[in-house]
């Protein structure tokens, strides 16, 4: 019962900050408002992190789809919170916090558990931690790319469903996007290498090129090509946004899609 209340508290905090952002749209750069939002998000992160620890580690290593999505968005909010301390990205909270509120609440209503005996292997925990951080960085990058799209359309006075009260300069947003993608690409590379080298040790069977592995490698190629294009040809703007979202779409199919099929359809 106590945990159920805390789930609702975390969801309320995330949604309240996002709603207050739009309510205070005209005064969104007010220092007191920004400090309050930052403090509330920090509180939400602490409570969300404690709930995640209980959900995942209380009775073993329960890495169900609900817990995995909750963990990814906990990390995504954390990445946003840390980035916002240096760069004024408060507009992004309108994109990050609502889905985080949904997925933070998901474990409270999920009846599915997925206990993994491989958790006794330290290498497995490291592999999962790196993978989660990589997915979270790319989730942040995808949401940031959406924000850039809306900001670009607003600057050119093009019609858009969402009117942003404020946003950083596009060059600042673009620099942050590629910085996040670069770190995410390194971590995704480590995830793939660790999976390939230690698949038999971790999972008890050699690497199999199933759809999860294939989509992950395809996503790796897309992000690698994007970074190469940025370095070699100076890609930016719409090209960068499209490749970012394409790579993220493949990652969704690789990880979330495979866990959804296994847990919800095949009940494994």
């Amino acid at each position: 019962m106590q945990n159920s209340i805390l789930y609702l508290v975390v969801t309320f905090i995330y949604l309240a900050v996002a709603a207050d952002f739009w309510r205070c749209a005209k005064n969104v750069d007010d220092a007191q408002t920004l400090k309050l939002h930052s403090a509330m998000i920090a509180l939400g992160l602490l409570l969300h992190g404690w709930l995640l620890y209980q959900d995942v580690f209380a009775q073993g290593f329960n890495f169900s789809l609900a817990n995995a999505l909750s963990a990814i968005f906990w990390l995504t909010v954390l990445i946003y919170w840390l980035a916002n301390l240096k760069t004024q990205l408060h507009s992004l909270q309108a994109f990050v916090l609502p889905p985080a509120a949904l997925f933070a609440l998901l474990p409270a209503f999920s009846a599915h558990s997925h206990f993994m005996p491989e958790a006794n292997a330290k290498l497995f925990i490291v592999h999962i931690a790196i993978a989660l951080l990589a997915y979270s960085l790319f989730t942040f990058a995808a949401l940031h790319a959406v924000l850039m799209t809306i900001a670009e359309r607003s600057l050119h006075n093009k019609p858009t469903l969402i009117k942003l009260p404020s946003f950083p300069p596009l060059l600042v947003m673009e620099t942050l996007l590629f910085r996040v993608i670069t770190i995410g690409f390194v971590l995704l590379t480590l995830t793939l290498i660790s999976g390939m080298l230690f698949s038999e040790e971790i999972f008890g069977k050699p690497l199999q090129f199933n759809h999860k592995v294939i989509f992950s490698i395809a996503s790796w190629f897309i992000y690698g090509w994007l970074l190469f294009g940025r370095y070699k040809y100076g890609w930016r703007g719409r090209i960068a946004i499209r490749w970012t979202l394409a790579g993220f779409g493949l990652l969704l199919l690789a990880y979330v899609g495979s866990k959804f099929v296994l847990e919800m359809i095949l009940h494994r």
Side-chain angles (χ1 to χ4, degrees), residues 51-164:
L51 285 170
L52 263 177
Y53 180 81
Q54 295 295 315
D55 290 334
V56 176
F57 295 105
Q59 299 177 349
F61 188 75
N62 180 11
F63 206 61
S64 64
L65 176 61
N67 288 343
L69 289 172
S70 183
I72 288 172
F73 273 90
W74 179 80
L75 284 168
T76 303
V77 175
L78 178 61
I79 292 166
Y80 159 75
W81 186 77
L82 293 173
N84 194 47
L85 294 177
K86 185 176 181 180
T87 308
Q88 294 297 311
L89 287 174
H90 35 270
S91 295
L92 190 56
Q93 66 192 23
F95 298 89
V96 171
L97 295 179
L102 171 65
F103 291 118
L105 191 60
L106 196 60
F109 298 96
S110 176
H112 294 273
S113 297
H114 186 199
F115 291 98
M116 307 185 77
E118 300 90 354
N120 294 325
K122 292 182 180 180
L123 182 60
F124 174 77
I125 298 297
V126 173
H127 173 77
I128 290 294
I130 294 174
L132 281 177
L133 188 53
Y135 295 147
S136 300
L137 283 165
F138 286 125
T139 300
F140 177 89
L143 294 170
H144 190 65
V146 174
L147 175 65
M148 287 178 60
T149 301
I150 296 172
E152 185 181 33
R153 293 185 68 85
S154 298
L155 284 175
H156 293 91
N157 295 317
K158 294 181 179 179
T160 178
L161 293 175
I162 301 176
K163 299 292 184 181
L164 291 174

Side-chain angles (χ1 to χ4, degrees), residues 1 7 24 27 35 53 56 63 94 109 130 148 171 175 177 182:
M1 180 64 180
Y7 283 117
C24 302
N27 300 313
K35 287 181 180 179
Y53 180 81
V56 176
F63 206 61
F109 298 96
I130 294 174
M148 287 178 60
L171 286 178
T175 300
L177 176 69
T182 300

Side-chain angles (χ1 to χ4, degrees), residues 19-268:
D20 195 56
F21 168 78
W22 293 107
R23 186 184 67 83
C24 302
K26 293 182 179 180
N27 300 313
V28 76
D29 292 319
D30 178 69
Q32 279 191 324
T33 300
L34 295 179
K35 287 181 180 179
L36 177 61
H37 286 180
S38 182
M40 289 182 67
I41 293 172
L43 176 60
L45 283 168
L46 287 173
L47 294 175
H48 190 177
W50 186 84
L51 285 170
L52 263 177
Y53 180 81
Q54 295 295 315
D55 290 334
V56 176
F57 295 105
Q59 299 177 349
F61 188 75
N62 180 11
F63 206 61
S64 64
L65 176 61
N67 288 343
L69 289 172
S70 183
I72 288 172
F73 273 90
W74 179 80
L75 284 168
T76 303
V77 175
L78 178 61
I79 292 166
Y80 159 75
W81 186 77
L82 293 173
N84 194 47
L85 294 177
K86 185 176 181 180
T87 308
Q88 294 297 311
L89 287 174
H90 35 270
S91 295
L92 190 56
Q93 66 192 23
F95 298 89
V96 171
L97 295 179
L102 171 65
F103 291 118
L105 191 60
L106 196 60
F109 298 96
S110 176
H112 294 273
S113 297
H114 186 199
F115 291 98
M116 307 185 77
E118 300 90 354
N120 294 325
K122 292 182 180 180
L123 182 60
F124 174 77
I125 298 297
V126 173
H127 173 77
I128 290 294
I130 294 174
L132 281 177
L133 188 53
Y135 295 147
S136 300
L137 283 165
F138 286 125
T139 300
F140 177 89
L143 294 170
H144 190 65
V146 174
L147 175 65
M148 287 178 60
T149 301
I150 296 172
E152 185 181 33
R153 293 185 68 85
S154 298
L155 284 175
H156 293 91
N157 295 317
K158 294 181 179 179
T160 178
L161 293 175
I162 301 176
K163 299 292 184 181
L164 291 174
S166 69
F167 46 83
L170 278 174
L171 286 178
V172 173
M173 297 171 70
E174 192 174 86
T175 300
L176 177 61
L177 176 69
F178 278 99
R179 190 173 299 165
V180 169
I181 289 176
T182 300
I183 299 172
F185 180 75
V186 172
L187 292 176
L188 182 59
T189 302
L190 292 175
T191 300
L192 292 173
I193 291 175
S194 64
M196 290 177 181
L197 291 180
F198 306 112
S199 177
E200 188 163 5
E201 179 180 344
I202 296 175
F203 302 108
K205 57 183 178 182
L207 179 67
Q208 296 181 349
F209 282 92
N210 51 33
H211 77 278
K212 179 181 178 180
V213 174
I214 292 172
F215 281 133
S216 296
I217 293 175
S219 177
W220 181 85
F221 273 112
I222 284 180
Y223 284 120
W225 179 247
L226 172 58
L227 292 174
F228 174 78
R230 170 72 168 183
Y231 171 78
K232 184 72 174 177
Y233 305 110
W235 285 355
R236 52 181 302 186
R238 294 181 183 178
I239 294 177
I241 290 170
R242 287 169 183 169
W243 283 111
T244 299
L245 295 177
F248 180 67
L250 288 174
L251 273 185
L252 280 180
L253 290 173
Y255 186 70
V256 178
S258 64
K259 284 191 74 68
F260 179 83
V261 170
L262 287 173
E263 289 187 27
M264 304 300 177
I265 299 178
L266 300 180
H267 302 290
R268 295 181 184 177

